[in-house]
């Protein structure tokens, strides 16, 4: 391309200077004939070389045409007469024609990149089914028409890969392994921290409540049992109440033990007392009205442990033929 | 197979750490650089372990093809800036000798690195067949378009090209690529295959695509031109401008 424009430029310049030697036409008869002959010979040689190497001159890979023009320019320095100048003009015509031809050939060589043609060729490579495409061709150029096989992009990818020096991806033989767990780790830690702090805040409140309610429940239960004891005593103050019959619930060993536990508070607080009757069996009676302070002293001096196993409870139920509890179960279970 | 490499590797580490004086006179033509002096604070085994850890780190990090930051290598593995250049140099040696890969810095300002293969891919290499294969097809189409259209194209030209290839970029899910727009403007961009920039003074904003630094490292204008020429069944010289440009780039890069 560059050589072309050079050539044209040179041609223009030389064209402008062509008139010069014709002005000195009068000096033709001088003694520099050998020089002029040499110049003419050189011109003829140059012209024939250029004509013979027609293809070489046209090639876009070299600057032969420019070089030839430069040679002619050098020769022209020695030109003083019309005959040589005519040869120069002859060469100039030749060079111009070559230049024009070269320019034309360049254009015919050069393809402007056409994305749509490229796309068509890509689709062919990808295995587009043209027949199906033609069917829907009626709705102008619908890009989504035609049938591309499922592996179309895979196919193109295979081809594409050979143009990349892409490092193969590292694979684990024993299955996949996501290389970035750190994203999740901090989240888990934060959650854990929250949990523990929440627990600390809530736990004391809950515990207090539970203890409080438990204590209250025990007190209530103790009072309730004292109520029953007093009621039974009032019904028949002369008949002692059997301790075992009083506490035993024939339907529940657990409630029996619970009753014994609650009765022990009554004894400790001096609200009731247990003594043995003539059969050496324990009887219980409330203490609130009579006795008073004296009894507190005596009571403080004595301690006793009563144990009861499941078997003993069964025996008691059988022996005393207890069919009904004297202390009805608390209406609500604890808590 | 690995034996000669191993002896070579351990030989060089011995040269620098075990018998510094003796080996220096024997084989070390290079002077004891600052980096090597820094390394003397660590035992050869420590150094070797660090090098191996860096190699592993790079290989795993490369799975996503997002450039690896120097700061991540330092923070996670080396923990000492002073020995970084030397450790990285050795990791690169290992990558080259054992894995046939090469560590390249693609952003000298922010110090990010990628791994590329030292060797051209083999024909019909089925081992290397994964879910990324179709993406490479999509990528080469876009890279081709960019190069053939003067190294930058408007976003709309890319979408138009993909539309011709039966890919709808207006938000629908493609059966192979999913969200194509996201793949092209985010994934390829993050991987540095593409650059996606807003054209200045455009309202509403218009965007253009250029090749990203990874594209220049993994492929070349010459390669892409060859691809286009093969697809279009033409000689690469058919496109003189692109051909000259590709040749100029190739000779500048020193590869034939």
């Amino acid at each position: 391309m560059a050589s072309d424009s050079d050539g044209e430029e040179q041609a223009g310049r030389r064209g402008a200077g062509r008139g010069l030697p014709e002005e000195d036409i009068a000096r033709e008869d001088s003694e520099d004939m050998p020089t002029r002959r040499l110049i003419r010979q050189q011109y003829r040689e140059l012209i024939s070389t250029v004509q013979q190497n027609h293809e070489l001159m046209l090639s876009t890979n070299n600057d032969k045409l420019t070089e030839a023009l430069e040679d002619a320019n050098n020769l022209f320095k020695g030109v003083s007469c019309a005959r040589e100048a005519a040869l120069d003009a002859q060469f100039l015509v030749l060079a111009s024609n070559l230049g024009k031809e070269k320019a034309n050939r360049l254009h015919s060589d050069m393809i402007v990149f056409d994305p749509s043609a490229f796309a068509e060729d890509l689709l062919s490579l990808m295995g587009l089914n043209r027949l199906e495409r033609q069917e829907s061709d009626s709705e102008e150029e619908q890009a989504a028409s035609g049938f591309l096989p499922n592996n179309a992009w895979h196919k193109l990818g295979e081809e594409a890969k050979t143009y990349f020096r892409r490092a193969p991806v590292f694979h684990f033989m024993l299955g996949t392994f996501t290389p970035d767990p750190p994203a999740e780790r901090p989240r888990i830690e934060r959650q854990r921290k929250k949990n523990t702090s929440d627990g600390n805040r809530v736990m004391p409140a809950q515990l207090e409540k539970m203890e409080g309610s438990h204590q209250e429940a025990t007190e209530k239960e103790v009072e309730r049992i004292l109520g029953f004891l007093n009621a039974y005593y009032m019904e028949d103050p002369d008949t002692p109440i059997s301790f075992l019959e009083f506490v035993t619930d024939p339907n529940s060993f657990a409630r029996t033990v619970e009753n014994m536990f609650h009765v022990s508070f009554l004894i400790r607080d001096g609200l009731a007392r247990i003594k043995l009757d003539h059969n050496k069996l324990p009887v219980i009676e409330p203490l609130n009205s009579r006795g008073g302070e004296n009894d507190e002293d005596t009571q403080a001096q004595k301690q006793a442990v009563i144990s009861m196993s499941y078997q003993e409870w069964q025996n008691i139920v059988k022996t005393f033929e207890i069919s009904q509890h004297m202390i009805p179960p608390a209406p609500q279970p604890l808590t | 197979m690995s034996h000669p490499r191993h002896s070579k590797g351990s030989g060089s580490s011995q040269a620098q750490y075990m018998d510094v004086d003796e080996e220096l006179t024997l084989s070390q033509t290079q002077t004891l650089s600052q980096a090597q002096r820094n390394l003397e604070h660590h035992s050869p085994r420590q150094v070797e372990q660090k090098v191996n850890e860096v190699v592993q780190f790079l290989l795993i990090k490369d799975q996503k093809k997002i450039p690896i930051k120097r700061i991540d290598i330092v923070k996670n593995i080396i923990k000492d800036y002073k020995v970084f250049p030397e450790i990285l140099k050795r990791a690169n040696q290992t990558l080259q000798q054992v894995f046939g890969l090469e560590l390249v810095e693609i952003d000298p300002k922010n110090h990010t690195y990628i791994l590329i293969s030292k060797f051209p891919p083999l024909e019909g290499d089925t081992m290397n067949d994964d879910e990324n294969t179709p993406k490479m097809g999509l990528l080469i189409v876009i890279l081709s378009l960019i190069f053939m259209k003067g190294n930058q194209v408007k976003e709309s030209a890319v979408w138009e090209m993909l539309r011709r290839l039966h890919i709808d970029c207006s938000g629908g899910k493609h059966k192979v690529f999913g969200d194509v727009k996201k793949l092209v403007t985010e994934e390829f961009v993050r991987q540095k295959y593409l650059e996606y920039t807003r054209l200045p003074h455009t309202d509403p904003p218009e965007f253009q695509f250029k090749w990203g630094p990874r594209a220049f490292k993994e492929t070349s204008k010459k390669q892409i031109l060859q691809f286009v020429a093969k697809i279009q069944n033409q000689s690469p010289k058919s496109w003189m401008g692109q051909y000259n440009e590709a040749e100029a780039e190739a000779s500048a890069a020193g590869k034939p």
Side-chain angles (χ1 to χ4, degrees), chain A residues 1-12 65-66 69 99 102-103:
Chain A
M1 204 100 153
S3 67
D4 269 2
S5 59
D6 278 355
E8 272 157 23
E9 191 184 296
Q10 282 160 4
L65 187 60
T66 314
L69 279 164
K102 194 168 175 176

Side-chain angles (χ1 to χ4, degrees), chain A residues 13-40:
Chain A
R13 188 160 49 78
R14 287 167 51 77
R18 204 158 40 141
L20 251 169
E22 280 173 340
E23 287 171 10
D24 300 327
I25 208 157
R27 278 203 271 150
E28 200 176 344
D29 56 343
S30 60
E31 60 286 331
D32 50 19
M33 271 308 277
T35 329
R36 290 178 55 194
R37 225 176 264 135
L38 183 67
I39 290 176
R40 284 203 293 271

Side-chain angles (χ1 to χ4, degrees), chain A residues 16-278:
Chain A
R18 204 158 40 141
L20 251 169
E22 280 173 340
E23 287 171 10
D24 300 327
I25 208 157
R27 278 203 271 150
E28 200 176 344
D29 56 343
S30 60
E31 60 286 331
D32 50 19
M33 271 308 277
T35 329
R36 290 178 55 194
R37 225 176 264 135
L38 183 67
I39 290 176
R40 284 203 293 271
Q41 195 203 337
Q42 284 173 326
Y43 262 117
R44 286 192 194 99
E45 269 174 28
L46 184 63
I47 288 169
S48 77
T49 328
V50 168
Q51 276 171 336
Q52 275 162 20
N53 296 311
H54 185 259
E55 277 305 310
L56 188 65
M57 292 289 159
L58 288 179
S59 162
T60 48
N61 286 337
N62 59 49
D63 292 335
K64 285 276 187 262
L65 187 60
T66 314
E67 282 164 21
L69 279 164
E70 271 163 12
D71 288 347
N73 258 348
N74 285 333
L75 286 177
F76 191 69
K77 281 176 192 152
V79 170
S80 58
C81 296
R83 210 163 154 200
E84 290 78 47
L87 275 174
D88 184 66
Q90 194 186 332
F91 173 75
L92 196 65
V93 171
L94 179 66
S96 305
N97 282 336
L98 278 173
K100 189 182 164 196
E101 204 176 328
K102 194 168 175 176
N104 276 337
R105 183 172 292 202
L106 250 190
H107 278 293
S108 64
D109 263 1
M110 198 148 71
I111 305 170
V112 178
F113 177 71
D114 177 8
S116 62
F118 183 52
E120 284 305 311
D121 290 334
L122 282 169
L123 287 171
S124 305
L125 178 98
M126 288 157 74
L128 181 83
N129 188 330
R130 301 264 168 196
L131 285 173
E132 288 193 31
R133 185 183 172 79
Q134 272 167 3
E135 280 172 22
S136 50
D137 240 359
S138 51
E139 16 179 320
E140 222 217 340
E141 206 209 26
Q142 221 343 303
S145 67
F147 175 74
L148 265 185
N150 280 335
N151 67 342
W153 282 98
H154 212 83
K155 219 162 153 184
L156 182 60
E158 288 293 333
E159 175 69 24
K161 271 183 171 181
T162 58
Y163 296 87
F164 285 92
R165 293 200 301 151
R166 180 177 160 111
V169 178
F170 188 78
H171 284 297
F172 293 95
M173 291 185 82
L174 296 173
T176 49
F177 166 72
T178 321
D180 42 9
E184 277 181 39
R185 222 179 281 153
R187 229 179 289 145
I188 293 165
E189 278 171 4
R190 244 176 280 135
Q191 277 178 345
R192 237 179 244 156
K193 267 180 208 162
K194 259 184 213 163
N195 282 348
T196 51
S197 60
D198 275 354
N200 283 342
R201 248 181 288 133
V202 174
M203 280 306 277
Q206 267 183 345
L207 274 175
E208 262 176 350
K209 214 175 170 185
M210 271 176 67
E211 279 168 0
S213 71
H214 189 249
Q215 246 173 3
E216 269 173 38
T218 309
E219 271 171 35
K220 267 187 198 155
E221 188 63 10
V222 170
E223 274 169 32
R224 195 172 73 94
I225 288 170
L226 180 61
F228 287 119
L229 184 62
N230 281 333
Y232 289 126
Y233 183 75
M234 290 305 201
E235 261 176 36
D236 191 357
D238 296 329
T239 318
I241 304 159
S242 162
F243 171 72
L244 290 174
E245 278 179 54
F246 182 63
V247 297
T248 302
D249 184 324
N251 301 315
S252 165
F253 173 63
R255 233 174 283 133
T256 306
V257 174
E258 250 174 48
N259 288 340
M260 286 169 68
F261 167 73
H262 289 129
V263 167
S264 72
F265 283 94
L266 295 178
I267 309 297
R268 185 200 67 183
D269 295 343
L271 297 169
R273 69 169 175 184
I274 292 173
K275 61 179 184 182
L276 297 178
D277 66 359
H278 52 278

Side-chain angles (χ1 to χ4, degrees), chain B residues 43-57:
Chain B
S43 79
R45 269 188 56 199
Q46 277 179 319
V47 172
E48 198 164 310
Q49 197 190 340
K50 283 287 171 210
V51 169
N52 291 338
E53 280 173 14
V54 169
V55 168
Q56 198 180 353
F57 182 78

Side-chain angles (χ1 to χ4, degrees), chain B:
Chain B
M1 185 168 124
S2 66
H3 185 71
R5 284 187 192 127
H6 181 256
S7 64
K8 195 175 166 191
S10 67
S12 69
S13 70
Q14 274 171 358
Q16 280 149 10
Y17 306 110
M18 303 191 82
D19 299 300
V20 174
D21 289 343
E22 187 192 328
E23 293 287 341
L24 265 179
T25 54
L26 284 175
S27 65
Q28 293 298 98
T29 48
Q30 66 200 97
T31 55
L32 207 60
S33 71
Q34 184 66 42
Q36 286 165 337
R37 233 174 283 139
N38 283 328
L39 276 185
E40 283 175 15
H41 300 298
H42 305 268
S43 79
R45 269 188 56 199
Q46 277 179 319
V47 172
E48 198 164 310
Q49 197 190 340
K50 283 287 171 210
V51 169
N52 291 338
E53 280 173 14
V54 169
V55 168
Q56 198 180 353
F57 182 78
L58 294 173
L59 285 174
I60 290 176
K61 271 282 188 186
D62 179 62
Q63 287 176 319
K64 291 200 162 174
K65 296 288 171 195
I66 294 169
I68 305 150
K69 292 185 195 129
R70 181 177 75 177
I71 185 152
D72 284 340
I73 306 175
V74 173
K75 210 168 62 190
N76 290 304
I77 312 289
I78 302 184
K79 316 225 192 278
D80 182 359
Y81 262 110
K82 279 179 279 179
V83 299
F84 175 82
E86 184 61 20
I87 299 249
L88 201 69
K89 204 178 95 191
R90 286 170 195 226
N92 196 10
Q93 274 170 12
T94 307
L95 284 167
Q96 297 197 17
Q97 289 165 0
V98 181
F99 296 97
L101 301 176
E102 197 176 346
L103 185 72
V104 215
E105 190 172 33
I106 56 162
D107 185 349
K109 213 170 102 197
N110 296 316
H111 302 287
T112 56
Y113 302 86
I114 59 166
L115 292 181
I116 60 170
S117 171
K118 278 191 69 176
F119 305 105
L122 297 168
E123 289 281 342
D125 182 5
T126 49
M127 280 298 285
N128 208 351
D129 187 49
D130 55 29
E131 78 282 356
N132 285 319
T133 303
K135 289 184 186 173
M136 296 310 284
L138 182 67
L139 179 65
I140 202 168
V141 169
I142 299 172
L143 290 178
S144 301
L145 183 70
I146 295 172
F147 172 57
M148 298 307 284
K149 283 295 208 181
N151 295 318
Q152 53 194 52
V153 292
K154 278 191 182 175
E155 167 179 44
S156 54
V158 171
W159 305 141
E160 171 62 19
M161 181 76 199
L162 297 187
R163 194 184 65 80
R164 289 178 191 279
L165 298 176
H166 302 197
I167 293 180
D168 173 26
C169 300
S170 55
K173 291 259 182 256
H174 186 265
K175 64 177 188 284
V176 179
F177 300 116
D179 188 339
V180 179
K181 189 163 183 182
K182 198 174 162 191
L183 171 66
V184 174
T185 61
E186 291 179 30
E187 187 171 325
F188 286 162
V189 171
R190 251 183 293 129
Q191 293 174 337
K192 300 287 177 199
Y193 278 115
L194 294 176
E195 275 179 9
Y196 181 63
T197 47
R198 185 182 165 171
L199 286 163
H201 314 299
T202 48
D203 188 30
E206 283 181 46
F207 291 84
Q208 67 171 6
F209 284 105
K210 282 183 177 181
W211 282 25
R214 185 190 282 273
F216 285 103
K217 295 290 182 190
E218 282 191 13
T219 185
S220 62
K221 291 175 175 175
K222 196 172 170 175
Q223 288 280 303
I224 294 298
L225 184 61
Q226 267 168 16
F227 170 76
V228 174
K230 185 178 173 186
I231 294 293
Q232 300 222 252
N233 204 13
Q234 297 273 356
S235 156
K237 286 182 190 168
S238 302
W239 298 277
M240 273 317 292
Q242 285 89 341
Y243 179 78
N244 289 335
E245 190 182 336
E247 289 296 319
E249 188 206 56
S251 56
K255 18 181 194 186

